[in-house]
């Protein structure tokens, strides 16, 4: 039987640890840490985490080579679902330390640096 989108996201979240906004802010700007915004380009026009690599979820597998030097990858999207799926994909591609920071709105509300 096919999985529903919610089941796929739940399975991805079980495989990719969530990181609180405060913990994400503590990692922001550290050597070896890359933030990846997996929202669509139109969504990022309102802003993004300062210094984040913008790779829409739909092309992540084809552009993941941009992340090859990252020691820790922090993914986020609008609400956290696409970030969980992206994180699971990155882990399946061999990236070891991948974390889901959830949604951009939470980052902004917590005073995270925006570029």
């Amino acid at each position: 039987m096919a999985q529903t989108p919610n089941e796929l996201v739940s399975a991805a979240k079980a495989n990719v640890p969530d990181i609180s906004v405060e913990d994400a802010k503590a990692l922001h700007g550290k050597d070896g840490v890359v933030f990846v915004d997996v929202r669509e380009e139109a969504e990022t026009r309102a802003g993004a985490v300062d210094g984040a690599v913008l790779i829409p979820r739909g092309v992540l597998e084809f552009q993941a080579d941009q992340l090859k030097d990252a020691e820790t990858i922090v993914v986020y999207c609008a609400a956290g679902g696409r970030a969980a799926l992206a994180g699971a994909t990155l882990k399946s591609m061999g990236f070891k330390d991948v974390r889901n920071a959830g949604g951009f709105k939470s980052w902004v509300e917590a005073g995270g640096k925006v570029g």
Side-chain angles (χ1 to χ4, degrees), residues 57-108:
R57 171 68 191 97
V59 296
L60 180 65
E61 294 85 347
F62 303 102
Q63 295 184 12
D65 60 328
Q66 297 178 54
L67 310 174
K68 67 181 183 285
D69 295 327
E71 294 172 19
T72 300
I73 298 172
V74 179
V75 291
Y76 71 93
C77 60
R82 286 177 289 177
L85 293 170
T89 296
L90 290 169
K91 288 188 86 173
S92 74
M93 293 178 75
F95 294 94
K96 304 284 186 234
D97 188 4
V98 182
R99 305 173 195 191
N100 180 358
F104 178 64
K105 181 180 177 186
S106 298
W107 176 265
V108 172

